[in-house]
Amino acid sequence: MSIAPLPLDGITVVSVEQAVSAPFATRQLADLGARVIKVERPDGGDFARGYDTAAHGLASHFVWANRGKESIALDLKDPRGLEVLERLVADADVFVQNLAQGAAARLGLDAAALCARHPRLVAVDISGYGPEGPYAHKRAYDMLVQCEAGLVSVTGTPEQPVKAGVPAADIAAAMYAFSGVLAALLRRATTGLGGPVEVSMLDALAEWMGHPLHHTMHGGREPERTGLAHAVIAPYDAYATADGGRVLLSVQNDREWRRLAEHVLERPELAEDAAYATNAARTAHRERTDAAVAKALGALDADEAVRRLEAAGIACARLNTVTELAAHPQLAARDRWREVGSPVGPLRALLPPIGLPGGAEPRMGAVPALGEHTDALLRALGMTDAQITALRGDGVVA
């Protein structure tokens, strides 16, 4: 139980959201104590609900990004549904939407229009490519934006570019929307005014591409795809061990190389060999460098390899599977796991990464069923059971 109030206690968020970017942003707000009202379509809701059934019948994306929210199912194409949303927004502190470009504006739900009507509201538009420019109306799924932002060009092996294994463009946009909301709320606390916040997936991921972008713009050369290796540091890769494991190590400077050569490779002569003594030389002779490391680690099991590397002060890691992450001893030792409710019962979930002051525990509420809170929210707006029944009969709510 929390022994201190959560930072966003008393803040109400209304979000017309789908997929990952907006839902993941508002989940962060919910974890910090905000009341998040998730507006979904009556005919199936957020389409991420149907991505898979891996979480005991629920979609894994949806479970991850939507805990702690109240779900109301509204048909926003019907004026009655839009009126309900307007009444919810009138009492809200934050509004978030990631509808297809132009859809929110047609409904009068774009950030600029909402903030003009509600000056204290913080309103967030999340889009794929921004509200103007030649790509403004281009479809913007995560993998497409990863390609447009160049992330795929620097990820993979020399032979094969690959996308990131997590929705990097969605997550990047979500986290900038999250931090943008916090900044806008802080400004509102001193000025009394909210205002629009605008985030695009391309802008967010382009920022994350800062290192390869500056390397290319100023160095005149595209970074090479090097798999698990590092483009400009050697040795920096994953190496097979005798028991079938893989251990990644990183040598950041020449002092570390000397320690690796002496204490792990047991070839102290390599510390002074001109072909290995500097990082520039090791990178130029990457195949020989990797071969020397691979030979030494290939004779050890993973536990022994890690033990020797750590004893020598060499940064290293096991190449874990997702199953191994779920059983990671560090997460267990730090009590990072909790259970959240859902329509199919308790589900295991990680605490959010932000440690809160005063010992406050993040609010990890249940994953909602579609329309689970529709009736309660409509009654709170003053509607009678007869009015709610009529709306449901017409398909305006679910």
Side-chain angles (χ1 to χ4, degrees):
M1 181 178 292
S2 295
I3 59 175
L6 290 170
L8 297 183
D9 276 344
I11 295 295
T12 297
V13 180
V14 175
S15 188
V16 180
E17 58 181 28
Q18 56 195 357
V20 176
S21 58
F24 193 55
T26 59
R27 197 214 81 188
Q28 313 305 314
L29 301 172
D31 285 344
L32 293 185
R35 181 191 189 193
V36 176
I37 299 171
K38 180 183 180 74
V39 180
E40 304 186 67
R41 297 165 55 107
D43 56 343
D46 181 344
F47 56 75
R49 287 182 178 274
Y51 279 170
D52 61 56
T53 57
H56 301 307
L58 302 181
S60 48
H61 274 88
F62 192 86
V63 166
W64 165 54
N66 288 284
R67 67 172 177 242
K69 302 178 185 181
E70 299 171 45
S71 171
I72 182 170
L74 291 177
D75 181 359
L76 299 182
K77 294 180 181 179
D78 188 297
R80 293 168 293 175
L82 192 57
E83 181 188 359
V84 170
L85 178 61
E86 289 281 3
R87 293 172 65 182
L88 291 172
V89 171
D91 291 330
D93 301 282
V94 178
F95 178 80
V96 180
Q97 67 85 17
N98 69 329
L99 298 174
Q101 185 63 38
R106 289 192 295 273
L107 295 169
L109 299 176
D110 57 298
L114 284 174
C115 291
R117 299 199 297 274
H118 308 286
R120 285 183 53 80
L121 183 70
V122 174
V124 185
D125 290 338
I126 302 176
S127 65
Y129 296 101
E132 65 279 314
Y135 279 51
H137 293 277
K138 189 176 178 68
R139 286 185 179 270
Y141 302 137
D142 176 82
M143 184 177 69
L144 306 179
V145 178
Q146 286 194 36
C147 290
E148 292 285 353
L151 176 60
V152 173
S153 78
V154 298
T155 306
T157 66
E159 299 78 24
Q160 180 65 50
V162 300
K163 70 178 180 67
V166 296
D170 281 322
I171 295 171
M175 299 315 290
Y176 285 114
F178 170 51
S179 58
V181 167
L182 298 182
L185 287 173
L186 183 61
R187 183 183 65 181
R188 191 184 75 168
T190 58
T191 68
L193 296 174
V197 173
E198 191 269 313
V199 176
S200 90
M201 294 165 66
L202 180 65
D203 291 348
L205 199 55
E207 169 66 21
W208 283 17
M209 287 290 291
H211 164 246
L213 192 60
H214 284 279
H215 183 279
T216 301
M217 290 189 302
H218 306 304
R221 185 164 169 244
E222 294 267 353
E224 297 178 5
R225 289 191 302 275
T226 54
L228 289 172
H230 196 287
V232 296
I233 301 174
Y236 194 136
D237 207 338
Y239 302 90
T241 55
D243 58 353
R246 295 183 79 187
V247 172
L248 188 139
L249 65 87
S250 168
V251 169
Q252 294 286 304
N253 55 59
D254 299 336
R255 296 186 306 277
E256 291 183 359
W257 169 252
R258 293 189 193 98
R259 296 202 301 270
L260 180 72
E262 292 173 6
H263 302 297
V264 181
L265 308 187
E266 297 181 338
R267 295 183 62 187
E269 72 277 6
L270 297 183
E272 307 301 330
D273 189 321
Y276 302 94
T278 67
N279 181 64
R282 291 190 297 275
T283 303
H285 301 95
R286 185 185 297 275
E287 289 187 7
R288 290 166 59 186
T289 303
D290 282 340
V293 177
K295 182 178 180 181
L297 266 61
L300 308 172
D301 64 30
D303 287 342
E304 177 64 12
V306 168
R307 188 193 67 75
R308 290 196 189 186
L309 289 165
E310 289 179 342
I314 305 299
C316 61
R318 299 173 186 273
L319 190 60
N320 282 337
T321 65
V322 179
T323 299
E324 288 167 329
L325 169 64
H328 202 290
Q330 184 69 3
L331 296 176
R334 297 187 62 236
D335 191 28
R336 300 301 299 170
W337 292 102
R338 297 291 184 273
E339 283 191 340
V340 299
S342 82
V344 296
L347 295 169
R348 194 170 174 230
L350 279 169
L351 278 168
I354 301 174
L356 297 173
E361 178 92 355
R363 184 179 297 153
M364 298 174 65
V367 178
L370 175 60
E372 179 178 344
H373 306 89
T374 297
D375 287 10
L377 287 164
L378 294 178
R379 289 192 187 103
L381 292 176
M383 290 191 180
T384 66
D385 287 350
Q387 289 173 315
I388 296 170
T389 299
L391 291 175
R392 182 167 280 109
D394 291 342
V396 179
V397 303

